Amino acid sequence: MKTNEMVSKVSRTFYKAGFGLKKHSPEILVIAGVIGTVVSAVMACKATTKINDILDETKEELDTVHKYSGDPDMAEKYSVEDAKKDTVMIYTHTGMKLAKLYGPAICLGVASISSILVSNNILRKRNAALAAAYAVIHRGFKEYRDRVIERFGSEVDRQLRFNMKAEEIEETVTDEKGKEKKVKKTIEVADTNTSGYVKYFTRTNTNWEDNPEFIEMFLRAQQNYANDKLKAIGHLTLNEVYDMLGMQDTKAGMVVGWIYDLEHPNGDNFVEFDVKKVYLPDDQGDYEDAYAIDFNVDGNIYDKMI
């Protein structure tokens, strides 16, 4: 029994190591290719230091052939045809010596470049597979949202996306007579750990102003600017829009965005900010004003661009 367990453990370890090598094969191949390229260059430099000896030897042999082929006294013993044959043999031997001298460096260089190309091919296939998988997930999520909106309405969809919950708080207000009093108020509190592309426009943003009208005007202006840029360039990444709003970039934002193509539309052909006024909990246990913003991205735009 213990023997079987040991064999199983060794087998799992072996296959786990094999999977790890396969997983990191692009990095391994690139490192091997770079090192191999450097080593092949060094080998070629060392080989070059020996080339003068081969060339000098070849020159001496050719000079000898020319000497005897041009001597009238040697015309009967050493004809022009003999000189041509010897010249061909000398060049052939010289070529073989040079091939032997530079052969290892050339072979290593070719193998190194091949390693880099194979690594690139592996990564390209993996990126294509990830893009296909993401497209399926994006389409499935969009269809799911459409069903939620159809059955429960767009407001429920928005509450679920922003993970909003109704909270009742007490707020101090001043009435018409100048007296302060506490009143209860129901607010919508959002969770910043929401998934997707939702971002929160808060006081920490450099573009924040304690004026709701200014904020709404700013967001509309940036949305219009994003649409103008989309039409002018033909594509726009989500990270570019994040930058317009003064927000942190994301890894997903590098590849998702919008494509502008009226003949073969990939999405809405326009950028739209879905903005919702919410409250976020702060470090003191209170709530601060914020704006939850979602974006109508078309999905992964890299596999759609020519």
Side-chain angles (χ1 to χ4, degrees):
M1 190 68 178
K2 290 183 178 179
T3 303
N4 292 336
E5 290 179 359
M6 185 177 296
V7 172
S8 298
K9 186 175 181 179
V10 171
S11 178
R12 287 195 299 271
T13 304
F14 175 78
Y15 283 108
K16 185 177 181 180
F19 180 79
L21 288 174
K22 184 177 181 180
K23 176 182 178 182
H24 297 289
S25 58
E27 294 91 338
I28 295 172
L29 288 170
V30 168
I31 293 173
V34 171
I35 294 175
T37 302
V38 174
V39 173
S40 66
V42 173
M43 291 174 64
C45 291
K46 287 185 177 180
T48 303
T49 61
K50 302 177 182 179
I51 194 173
N52 288 331
D53 295 337
I54 297 175
L55 296 179
D56 290 340
E57 183 179 350
T58 302
K59 184 176 182 302
E60 290 178 3
E61 293 176 349
L62 290 174
D63 289 343
T64 302
V65 170
H66 294 155
K67 177 182 177 181
Y68 286 107
S69 63
D71 190 348
D73 298 334
M74 298 291 296
E76 295 182 1
K77 297 181 180 180
Y78 194 72
S79 64
V80 175
E81 292 297 325
D82 293 333
K84 289 181 179 180
K85 290 179 181 179
D86 288 344
T87 301
V88 171
M89 290 182 62
I90 291 171
Y91 281 125
T92 301
H93 290 160
T94 301
M96 293 175 63
K97 291 177 182 178
L98 292 175
K100 185 177 179 180
L101 184 65
Y102 284 100
I106 294 173
C107 292
L108 181 58
V110 171
S112 301
I113 295 174
S114 298
S115 295
I116 296 173
L117 294 176
V118 170
S119 171
N120 178 70
N121 188 47
I122 293 173
L123 288 175
R124 185 170 53 82
K125 289 181 178 179
R126 289 183 181 180
N127 288 336
L130 288 173
Y134 173 81
V136 173
I137 295 173
H138 181 77
R139 184 171 61 252
F141 180 67
K142 188 176 184 302
E143 292 173 354
Y144 167 77
R145 281 190 55 199
D146 291 340
R147 291 194 296 270
V148 171
I149 294 173
E150 182 180 357
R151 181 170 298 186
F152 302 105
S154 57
E155 186 59 30
V156 172
D157 168 67
R158 182 180 291 182
Q159 290 176 353
L160 293 174
R161 270 189 298 127
F162 298 149
N163 195 14
M164 294 188 300
K165 297 179 181 178
E167 295 282 348
E168 192 175 77
I169 62 172
E170 284 190 348
E171 187 179 47
T172 302
V173 298
T174 304
D175 60 15
E176 296 177 353
K177 296 181 180 180
K179 293 182 179 181
E180 292 184 349
K181 63 178 181 178
K182 291 185 176 180
V183 297
K184 290 185 178 181
K185 179 182 179 182
T186 301
I187 61 174
E188 291 182 318
V189 181
D191 185 356
T192 55
N193 293 321
T194 51
S195 59
Y197 312 115
V198 177
K199 286 282 190 176
Y200 291 92
F201 191 80
T202 65
R203 295 179 182 277
T204 59
N205 193 297
T206 56
N207 299 297
W208 177 272
E209 292 286 344
D210 289 323
N211 186 331
E213 293 182 358
F214 173 85
I215 293 176
E216 292 174 5
M217 179 182 67
F218 169 76
L219 294 178
R220 282 197 302 270
Q222 295 307 92
Q223 178 178 285
N224 293 336
Y225 173 47
N227 276 293
D228 291 340
K229 189 172 182 180
L230 174 63
K231 292 178 181 179
I233 300 177
H235 66 273
L236 188 69
T237 66
L238 184 57
N239 274 350
E240 290 179 281
V241 174
Y242 284 159
D243 291 339
M244 295 176 190
L245 298 174
M247 296 175 174
Q248 185 66 37
D249 292 353
T250 64
K251 292 181 180 179
M254 296 173 60
V255 295
V256 301
W258 297 263
I259 294 288
Y260 187 77
D261 189 348
L262 294 178
E263 295 182 0
H264 305 92
N266 294 287
D268 299 324
N269 270 329
F270 61 84
V271 179
E272 183 177 34
F273 300 170
D274 186 0
V275 183
K276 175 69 175 179
K277 174 69 181 297
V278 297
Y279 291 84
L280 298 177
D282 57 19
D283 297 335
Q284 287 73 36
D286 295 326
Y287 298 99
E288 63 175 352
D289 295 348
Y291 292 83
I293 309 175
D294 198 9
F295 307 87
N296 66 327
V297 294
D298 298 338
N300 185 350
I301 64 173
Y302 271 69
D303 62 337
K304 300 175 184 176
M305 295 173 60
I306 299 176

